[in-house]
Amino acid sequence: MSATHSGHLHLDDNVREDARRRLLSLKGHLEGVLKMLEKEDVYCVDVLKQLRAVEGAVDKVGDLILRSHLRHHVATAAERGDSDALVDELMEYLKYRR
Amino acid sequence: MSATHSGHLHLDDNVREDARRRLLSLKGHLEGVLKMLEKEDVYCVDVLKQLRAVEGAVDKVGDLILRSHLRHHVATAAERGDSDALVDELMEYLKYRR
Amino acid sequence: MSATHSGHLHLDDNVREDARRRLLSLKGHLEGVLKMLEKEDVYCVDVLKQLRAVEGAVDKVGDLILRSHLRHHVATAAERGDSDALVDELMEYLKYRR
Amino acid sequence: MSATHSGHLHLDDNVREDARRRLLSLKGHLEGVLKMLEKEDVYCVDVLKQLRAVEGAVDKVGDLILRSHLRHHVATAAERGDSDALVDELMEYLKYRR
């Protein structure tokens, strides 16, 4: 829980469950890459492509959560009066995105 | 194994072992995020930050493998005579990097 | 002007002026890279580093505008009643970010 | 010119000319965005999309140069005996790519 929003705002239950399911499947994907790395003749670029796919899946989960955060917390910030805190926090996250 | 380099080129053993160890630790990290997502009051941005950290760790493994591939396979491509194939393959990977 | 928000929402004047100044300076930077590319013995990686710096500067301008958009338009969306439209639009932009 | 490869390696002439033409057209694009920013009612997301397009164009020029560098300099590094220097330099560039 972040210091700034201790318990007031939390991730939507449906999104949380969706994210959990996707990360569970991602864990399976990661175990596949670990198996791949046990083979002595594995080719570098084949591993790189799998890692890229793993990152793509993490990105997708991140986007689900980000969309939910924008919808349920950022878009309502002016009503609650915590726009500055939420925007600062979000920009801190987004500036490392690329 | 990729169709183009069936068995000729393979990932350096030390790098493969290092990558495997790092991905095992990443699997632990991912399990931590899954635990986090079981809590009903988890805050969106806290999950986003953990996912960002996961991606950073995947990137680091990718960079280890990429460096090894450049050093052991791309830098020696002219000697083997497969520069075009290796560069095409690598650019295909790199163009989706950002 | 976007179809969805024809004239209702617009970029904050100070941010607009700041962005304009930064992009003017970026244009100067770009002209420097063009000069660099006139030299027959220019080294690839030196150009790549300059292009990376150009992208970093564009990113910084984008972040200024994004922060202003979040602060002035997204954080007030629930009050105006256009949260869905603004969040969809923003996610469409952000998903290509990395 | 980089300290490590003072004058030995340089960007292929055709790629250099292609990069120059593309950056000239990019300068035109940037001037369009500057015009856009003179309008008081410009919408944030419309500017953001233009900046994203500018970055996409810079990326494309970077990829042209990177491909040429891999093909003409990295793939021949073992023959010349400067693999370590070229790979270090390239990884330094690539690790900030995403």
Side-chain angles (χ1 to χ4, degrees):
Chain A
M1 207 176 313
S2 115
T4 356
H5 301 99
S6 31
H8 296 307
L9 304 174
H10 59 83
L11 180 54
D12 176 85
D13 279 351
N14 292 323
V15 176
R16 191 165 55 82
E17 191 46 42
D18 190 5
R20 222 178 55 81
R21 262 194 304 261
R22 285 169 184 267
L23 288 185
L24 259 179
S25 137
L26 186 69
K27 195 181 134 189
H29 194 159
L30 200 60
E31 282 160 355
V33 185
L34 280 163
K35 276 249 158 59
M36 207 178 172
L37 284 168
E38 285 170 16
K39 292 186 195 149
E40 283 181 15
D41 63 348
V42 69
Y43 179 51
C44 316
V45 180
D46 293 337
V47 184
L48 289 177
K49 284 177 187 167
Q50 290 305 314
L51 295 180
R52 180 66 42 90
V54 165
E55 290 186 323
V58 178
D59 270 345
K60 203 159 274 176
V61 177
D63 279 357
L64 283 172
I65 296 174
L66 177 56
R67 172 183 289 273
S68 174
H69 182 57
L70 287 168
R71 185 72 183 77
H72 297 112
H73 303 148
V74 183
T76 52
E79 290 177 343
R80 278 191 319 276
D82 57 7
S83 296
D84 281 339
L86 259 81
V87 170
D88 283 354
E89 184 185 59
L90 189 56
M91 285 307 299
E92 188 62 30
Y93 166 75
L94 287 173
K95 77 178 177 191
Y96 293 112
R97 193 169 168 91
R98 62 161 299 188
Chain B
M1 210 173 310
S2 113
T4 356
H5 302 99
S6 31
H8 297 308
L9 304 174
H10 58 82
L11 181 54
D12 175 86
D13 278 352
N14 291 324
V15 176
R16 191 164 57 83
E17 192 45 43
D18 190 6
R20 222 179 55 82
R21 262 194 304 262
R22 285 168 186 267
L23 288 187
L24 258 179
S25 136
L26 185 69
K27 195 181 132 188
H29 194 160
L30 199 60
E31 282 160 355
V33 185
L34 280 162
K35 277 250 159 57
M36 205 178 174
L37 285 168
E38 283 171 16
K39 292 185 196 150
E40 282 181 15
D41 63 348
V42 68
Y43 178 51
C44 316
V45 180
D46 294 337
V47 185
L48 289 177
K49 284 177 187 168
Q50 290 305 314
L51 294 180
R52 180 67 40 90
V54 165
E55 290 186 323
V58 177
D59 270 346
K60 202 158 276 178
V61 177
D63 280 356
L64 283 172
I65 296 174
L66 178 56
R67 172 183 289 274
S68 174
H69 182 57
L70 287 168
R71 186 70 183 80
H72 297 110
H73 303 147
V74 183
T76 52
E79 291 178 342
R80 277 191 321 277
D82 58 5
S83 295
D84 282 338
L86 259 82
V87 170
D88 283 354
E89 184 186 61
L90 188 55
M91 286 306 299
E92 188 62 31
Y93 167 74
L94 288 173
K95 77 178 177 190
Y96 292 111
R97 193 169 168 90
R98 60 165 297 189
Chain C
M1 209 174 313
S2 114
T4 357
H5 302 102
S6 31
H8 297 306
L9 304 175
H10 58 82
L11 181 55
D12 176 86
D13 279 352
N14 291 325
V15 177
R16 193 164 55 83
E17 191 45 44
D18 190 6
R20 224 180 53 81
R21 261 194 306 262
R22 285 168 184 266
L23 287 186
L24 258 178
S25 137
L26 186 69
K27 195 182 133 187
H29 194 160
L30 200 60
E31 282 159 354
V33 185
L34 279 162
K35 276 247 159 58
M36 206 178 173
L37 284 168
E38 285 172 14
K39 292 185 196 151
E40 282 181 14
D41 63 348
V42 69
Y43 179 51
C44 316
V45 180
D46 293 337
V47 184
L48 288 177
K49 284 177 186 167
Q50 290 305 314
L51 294 180
R52 181 65 43 91
V54 164
E55 290 186 323
V58 177
D59 270 346
K60 203 159 273 180
V61 177
D63 279 357
L64 283 173
I65 296 175
L66 178 57
R67 173 183 288 273
S68 174
H69 182 58
L70 286 168
R71 186 71 183 80
H72 297 111
H73 304 147
V74 183
T76 54
E79 290 177 343
R80 277 191 321 277
D82 58 7
S83 296
D84 282 339
L86 259 82
V87 170
D88 283 354
E89 185 185 59
L90 188 56
M91 285 307 299
E92 187 62 31
Y93 166 75
L94 287 174
K95 78 178 175 190
Y96 293 110
R97 192 169 169 92
R98 62 163 294 189
Chain D
M1 209 174 312
S2 115
T4 355
H5 302 98
S6 29
H8 297 307
L9 303 175
H10 58 81
L11 181 55
D12 176 86
D13 278 352
N14 291 324
V15 176
R16 192 165 56 83
E17 190 46 42
D18 189 6
R20 222 179 54 80
R21 262 195 304 263
R22 283 169 186 267
L23 288 186
L24 259 180
S25 137
L26 186 68
K27 195 181 135 188
H29 194 160
L30 200 60
E31 282 160 355
V33 184
L34 281 162
K35 277 250 156 59
M36 206 178 173
L37 285 169
E38 284 171 15
K39 292 186 195 149
E40 282 181 16
D41 63 348
V42 68
Y43 179 52
C44 317
V45 180
D46 293 337
V47 185
L48 289 177
K49 283 177 187 168
Q50 290 304 314
L51 294 180
R52 180 64 42 90
V54 165
E55 290 185 323
V58 177
D59 270 345
K60 203 159 276 178
V61 177
D63 279 356
L64 283 172
I65 296 174
L66 177 57
R67 172 184 287 273
S68 174
H69 182 59
L70 287 168
R71 186 71 182 79
H72 297 111
H73 303 148
V74 183
T76 54
E79 291 178 342
R80 278 191 320 277
D82 58 6
S83 296
D84 281 340
L86 259 81
V87 170
D88 283 355
E89 183 185 59
L90 188 56
M91 285 307 300
E92 188 63 31
Y93 166 75
L94 287 173
K95 77 177 178 191
Y96 293 111
R97 192 170 170 91
R98 62 162 297 187

